[in-house]
Amino acid sequence: MKLFSNSSTITGFILLGFPCPKEEQVLLFVLFSVVYLLTLMGNGSIICAVRWDQRLHTPMYILLANFSFLEICYVTSTVPNMLANILSDTKVISFSGCFLQFYFFFSLGSTECFFLAIMAFDRYLAICRPLHYPTIMTGHLCTNLVVGCWVLGFLWFLIPIIIISQMSFCGSRIIDHFLCDPGPLLALTCKKGPVVEVIFSILSPLPLIIVFLFIIMSYILVLRAVLKVPSEAGRRKAFSTCGSHLAVVSLFYGSVLVMYGGPASEHEAGMQKIVTLFYSVMTPLLNPVIYSLRNKDIKKVLQKFLGI
């Protein structure tokens, strides 16, 4: 495969993961396995609820179901390999495997940014343009937005990943992380490529910054509209429809901006692992809990489905 053919010296990398005694490695394996299964079950239950209940076949819940599917893909891009790495004695990941993980992890992360933006747009239309909402947020537009998020997310990092994969890597092949992160990878290149680093440092935070500003503007307009609602019950209802999304945005952006908001060299390897674990593993686990706890419709369908 030509994309991964230019590593003249290194044919694979060693992901250190979480160096600790064997007993603690087994404990970590069990812990992350349980978290992974709970994440699949939680997000899968939301997909099933939206799929099976006709009342949830609205843009808001269709976007939520797609977001839950995205979360399953996102956590699957890292956790299975991390579990295999914990039990491995060599902890080796192939060159192509490393870059494929790198590509899918960042592409799915970008896709999540775009999904959070269109979910904010949906809430803006529902609260600020309620009379026009059915005519604007049609099934056709909803489908186009969903497809656009997936396509744009996977195209965003295609050029940087091709450029970085064509560079030569030599010397130490040890990556002090549990996944193939760009900072440690670029540190292993034989010849430093400042142009590549600048391109990546620009492209990486760009979707984060643009989407974050879009979400902030959307919720400023939502807040203005809600404050004009005369009744307290009406204001409470409007805020409740946005609460779950705002909580998810805060969790995701809070951790990602800490990680990628500044130069990678500012973060110690241990802190990098903790922050990356939070937004790549814990956030997908917490998202279905947040949405199901704060959304009465989702709770009713899940209770009916589970026979509670």
Side-chain angles (χ1 to χ4, degrees), residues 45 299-308:
S45 63
K299 277 199 290 189
K300 285 179 182 177
V301 175
L302 289 178
Q303 286 171 354
K304 182 180 178 182
F305 174 69
L306 296 172
I308 300 175

Side-chain angles (χ1 to χ4, degrees), residues 29-50:
F29 178 84
V30 173
L31 175 63
F32 289 134
S33 296
V34 171
V35 169
Y36 182 56
L37 290 174
L38 289 175
T39 303
L40 296 183
M41 290 169 60
N43 286 285
S45 63
I46 289 180
I47 296 171
C48 292
V50 175

Side-chain angles (χ1 to χ4, degrees), residues 174-194:
I174 297 173
I175 297 176
D176 191 4
H177 214 308
F178 62 87
L179 55 79
C180 290
D181 202 55
L185 273 175
L186 289 172
L188 296 179
T189 54
C190 301
K191 192 175 182 181
K192 298 302 174 186

Side-chain angles (χ1 to χ4, degrees), residues 128-144:
C128 300
R129 299 286 187 272
L131 298 178
H132 299 94
Y133 180 81
T135 56
I136 298 175
M137 187 57 77
T138 60
H140 181 68
L141 177 62
C142 185
T143 301
N144 286 341

Side-chain angles (χ1 to χ4, degrees), residues 10-291:
I10 289 180
T11 57
F13 300 98
I14 297 173
L15 290 175
L16 286 186
F18 307 95
C20 57
K22 195 67 176 178
E23 296 77 13
E24 294 179 24
Q25 295 273 353
V26 173
L27 185 62
L28 284 175
F29 178 84
V30 173
L31 175 63
F32 289 134
S33 296
V34 171
V35 169
Y36 182 56
L37 290 174
L38 289 175
T39 303
L40 296 183
M41 290 169 60
N43 286 285
S45 63
I46 289 180
I47 296 171
C48 292
V50 175
R51 173 67 181 86
W52 289 334
D53 196 301
Q54 291 289 332
R55 292 170 297 178
L56 301 184
H57 289 186
T58 62
M60 174 182 172
Y61 292 110
I62 290 171
L63 291 175
L64 178 56
N66 276 274
F67 187 73
S68 294
F69 176 70
L70 169 63
E71 292 289 64
I72 290 175
C73 296
Y74 190 46
V75 76
T76 302
S77 70
T78 57
V79 175
N81 183 77
M82 181 172 66
L83 292 174
N85 180 269
I86 288 174
L87 296 182
S88 171
D89 292 326
T90 60
K91 302 190 181 301
V92 173
I93 183 171
S94 67
F95 187 80
S96 58
C98 183
F99 277 93
L100 283 172
Q101 184 191 60
F102 176 15
Y103 173 65
F104 278 102
F105 180 69
F106 276 89
S107 295
L108 290 165
S110 298
T111 306
E112 181 158 346
C113 290
F114 298 131
F115 259 103
L116 290 172
I118 63 171
M119 291 168 83
F121 175 64
D122 177 71
R123 292 301 83 208
Y124 160 77
L125 289 178
I127 294 172
C128 300
R129 299 286 187 272
L131 298 178
H132 299 94
Y133 180 81
T135 56
I136 298 175
M137 187 57 77
T138 60
H140 181 68
L141 177 62
C142 185
T143 301
N144 286 341
L145 288 173
V146 168
V147 172
C149 283
W150 283 100
V151 172
L152 189 57
F154 273 81
L155 287 178
W156 195 269
F157 280 99
L158 190 59
I159 293 176
I161 196 73
I162 292 175
I163 294 174
I164 296 174
S165 68
Q166 295 300 307
M167 300 176 73
S168 296
F169 297 83
C170 56
S172 170
R173 55 184 186 138
I174 297 173
I175 297 176
D176 191 4
H177 214 308
F178 62 87
L179 55 79
C180 290
D181 202 55
L185 273 175
L186 289 172
L188 296 179
T189 54
C190 301
K191 192 175 182 181
K192 298 302 174 186
V195 176
V196 175
E197 292 185 21
V198 168
I199 291 174
F200 195 83
S201 64
I202 292 173
L203 286 178
S204 292
L206 205 55
L208 285 172
I209 295 168
I210 293 172
V211 170
F212 186 65
L213 292 175
F214 179 84
I215 292 172
I216 292 296
M217 288 302 299
S218 297
Y219 276 106
I220 288 174
L221 296 174
V222 167
L223 182 62
R224 284 177 54 190
V226 170
L227 292 177
K228 292 178 182 178
V229 176
S231 68
E232 185 179 341
R235 288 195 296 271
R236 194 182 300 115
K237 183 179 179 182
F239 276 125
S240 69
T241 63
C242 304
S244 300
H245 184 255
L246 276 173
V248 170
V249 168
S250 301
L251 281 173
F252 181 76
Y253 271 94
S255 53
V256 170
L257 288 175
V258 166
M259 186 68 190
Y260 298 105
S265 58
E266 291 183 0
H267 307 290
E268 294 294 331
M271 181 58 67
Q272 284 185 351
K273 294 176 189 179
I274 293 171
V275 177
T276 306
L277 263 179
F278 186 80
Y279 73 79
S280 66
V281 179
M282 295 309 298
T283 302
L285 171 68
L286 295 173
N287 286 352
V289 177
I290 293 169
Y291 278 111

